[in-house]
Amino acid sequence: MQTILFEDLGRVAYDAAWEYQETLMQANLRIKAARYNSPEANIPVEGGTQHHLLFCEHPHVYTLGKSGHMENLLVNDARLKELNISFFKTNRGGDITYHGPGQVVGYPILDLEHFETDLGKYMRNLEAVIIRMLVHYGIAGGRLPGATGVWLDADVKGKARKICAMGVRCSRWVTMHGFALNVNTDLRYFDYIVPCGITDKSVTSMQKELGKNVDAQEVKEILWHEFGNVFEAAIVPSGLEEVAI
């Protein structure tokens, strides 16, 4: 069983969280490079790279993936300034999305060589974590063929709506970026973009589906529990002794 170090960063600027992810990823890549390029260094396979799971919330920000299209941002720089929304082009996959207060954003930095070296399976596992968490609230999440993320009523024409967006980067099987789950998100901010570049589908939140405010801390606790279940790993608070979850 692998150990994943968990940190809840609270509310943090998008670029600061991105830089922190890069730091953790690069540390793992240096370890892997040393192992591959200098076998005589005798770095233990199980004792080198570390897995991390970061939770956070961002101030209002739009992020555009490396395969995204600028035309899916529907407002200009002046309007972004008026709305107090930041904008970043990122190195994750996917198109444009929104992060902001009321979301739970998850960034797993995992060495998939200790899980499965299959990026498609990794994405399906991330979706499974969200789907399993939603069951605790009586929300039936699912997948939409040809699209990533978690959807509601994906198979009902005209009703499909996304509750969790996903986009990742992977280098030498080390991941970064991850998922953004709409918990108590102000969905009006999605009106200024074409979310994920999909024009004929809407977005939703747990709050909207349940008709009430949702305890974000409870959601995070269930998420990390289900993350451990899906990835068959022990989730350990960073810097603390292992705890049962």
Side-chain angles (χ1 to χ4, degrees):
M1 176 178 285
Q2 296 296 306
T3 296
I4 300 175
L5 303 177
F6 171 77
E7 293 179 76
D8 188 342
L9 304 179
R11 185 172 295 189
V12 60
Y14 182 81
D15 52 347
W18 185 3
E19 183 178 352
Y20 185 42
Q21 290 181 76
E22 286 281 4
T23 298
L24 297 175
M25 176 187 235
Q26 292 304 320
N28 278 339
L29 291 178
R30 284 193 296 271
I31 290 168
K32 298 186 82 165
R35 182 191 303 147
Y36 294 148
N37 298 333
S38 303
E40 64 275 11
N42 196 30
I43 299 174
V45 172
E46 295 296 328
T49 54
Q50 289 188 325
H51 312 296
H52 300 267
L53 175 61
L54 311 177
F55 283 173
C56 65
E57 180 184 80
H58 295 307
H60 302 296
V61 60
Y62 295 128
T63 68
L64 185 71
K66 59 187 179 182
S67 59
H69 302 278
M70 276 299 299
E71 57 265 30
N72 289 327
L73 175 63
L74 305 179
V75 291
N76 58 26
D77 290 345
R79 183 61 174 146
L80 285 176
K81 188 174 181 179
E82 288 178 9
L83 294 167
N84 195 29
I85 306 175
S86 302
F87 173 79
F88 290 94
K89 291 183 178 179
T90 78
N91 58 358
R92 64 164 171 78
D95 207 289
I96 196 167
T97 196
Y98 162 76
H99 298 308
Q103 273 186 344
V104 173
V105 180
Y107 295 132
I109 296 88
L110 307 182
D111 181 356
L112 294 184
E113 286 193 292
H114 295 296
F115 296 94
E116 292 185 68
T117 51
D118 182 332
L119 193 55
K121 179 65 178 297
Y122 172 65
M123 297 299 293
R124 303 296 80 77
N125 281 341
L126 287 184
E127 292 164 352
V129 170
I130 306 300
I131 291 168
R132 290 169 64 123
M133 184 281 300
L134 291 173
V135 169
H136 290 262
Y137 293 88
I139 300 174
R143 298 179 175 91
L144 182 69
T148 60
V150 176
W151 299 76
L152 307 187
D153 290 327
D155 56 349
V156 181
K157 187 175 182 180
K159 289 191 175 182
R161 54 208 185 276
K162 181 178 280 191
I163 197 167
C164 183
M166 295 182 179
V168 304
R169 179 190 173 205
C170 186
S171 177
R172 286 196 172 186
W173 296 114
V174 178
T175 68
M176 64 178 289
H177 298 296
F179 63 83
L181 171 68
N182 295 326
V183 181
N184 299 306
T185 314
D186 185 342
L187 300 176
R188 292 175 298 178
Y189 285 89
F190 286 98
D191 294 340
Y192 302 112
I193 61 173
V194 180
C196 303
I198 300 174
T199 59
D200 61 344
K201 305 288 189 300
S202 63
V203 294
T204 190
S205 68
M206 295 178 67
Q207 181 186 49
K208 182 176 180 179
E209 296 300 320
L210 297 173
K212 63 180 181 180
N213 195 65
V214 180
D215 184 340
Q217 184 59 40
E218 180 183 74
V219 169
K220 288 187 282 189
E221 290 172 4
I222 297 172
L223 274 174
W224 85 318
H225 178 77
E226 294 296 357
F227 198 96
N229 288 339
V230 170
F231 285 90
E232 299 181 345
I235 311 294
V236 180
S238 181
L240 302 178
E241 296 298 322
E242 182 172 340
V243 296
I245 58 174

